[in-house]
């Protein structure tokens, strides 16, 4: 997926816009349909696509949060709850969860992993991105 800044944000009526959930960590930003394009450009961003009913998503969330808290710096972390933000999930092509997607500084997708990710693998990805 490649996008340019000229792309218009996903439109929603104000009455349709779900309130973003409270972030569980200041190191992890909650991303919604309205903020997705702005929050996934300008630097490397790792986004966890999840749902509250998904057991593997719930078990991976503390790992994701812990890695985000341990790695302050150039790599950013965000979460998208797919049921509350179906337009973003559709735009990115999320077909199963959990899915991690890495977005580059221009907002284009540079990597993807479906299923739970081991902490060491996530840390290695963060270190690789931070070194770019």
């Amino acid at each position: 997926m490649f996008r340019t800044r000229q792309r218009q944000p996903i439109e929603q009526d104000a009455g349709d816009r779900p309130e973003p959930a409270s972030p569980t960590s200041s190191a992890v930003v909650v991303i919604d349909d309205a903020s997705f394009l702005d929050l996934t450009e300008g630097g490397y961003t790792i986004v966890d696509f999840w749902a509250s009913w998904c057991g593997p998503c719930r078990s991976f969330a503390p790992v994701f949060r812990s890695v985000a808290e341990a790695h302050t710096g150039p790599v950013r972390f965000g979460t998208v709850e797919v049921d509350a933000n179906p337009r973003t999930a559709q735009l990115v092509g999320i077909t199963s969860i959990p899915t991690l997607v890495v977005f580059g500084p221009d907002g284009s997708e540079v990597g993807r992993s479906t299923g739970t990710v081991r902490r060491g693998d996530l840390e290695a990805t963060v270190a690789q991105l931070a070194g770019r």
Side-chain angles (χ1 to χ4, degrees), residues 50-126:
W50 65 282
S52 61
W53 49 264
C54 169
C57 298
R58 289 193 314 266
S59 67
F60 177 67
V63 173
F64 187 74
R65 183 176 51 251
S66 175
V67 170
E69 290 169 348
H71 293 281
T72 58
V75 179
R76 301 176 304 186
F77 296 80
T79 65
V80 174
E81 202 280 321
V82 296
D83 290 334
N85 300 285
R87 293 179 182 177
T88 298
Q90 182 179 15
L91 177 69
V92 179
I94 301 300
T95 57
S96 75
I97 52 175
T99 295
L100 287 182
V101 180
V102 178
F103 296 95
D106 64 356
S108 64
E109 182 178 322
V110 296
R112 177 181 295 230
S113 178
T114 302
T116 57
V117 176
R118 294 182 335 179
R119 180 185 181 95
D121 292 340
L122 180 55
E123 289 174 335
T125 298
V126 172

Side-chain angles (χ1 to χ4, degrees), residues 2 4 6 13 15-16 19 21 25 32 35 38 48 63-64 70 78 82 92 94 101 106 115 120 122 127-128 132:
F2 181 78
T4 61
Q6 291 80 25
D13 294 333
D16 292 349
E19 290 296 317
S25 164
D32 62 16
S35 64
D38 289 332
D48 178 21
V63 173
F64 187 74
V82 296
V92 179
I94 301 300
V101 180
D106 64 356
L122 180 55
Q128 179 185 22
R132 289 186 179 181

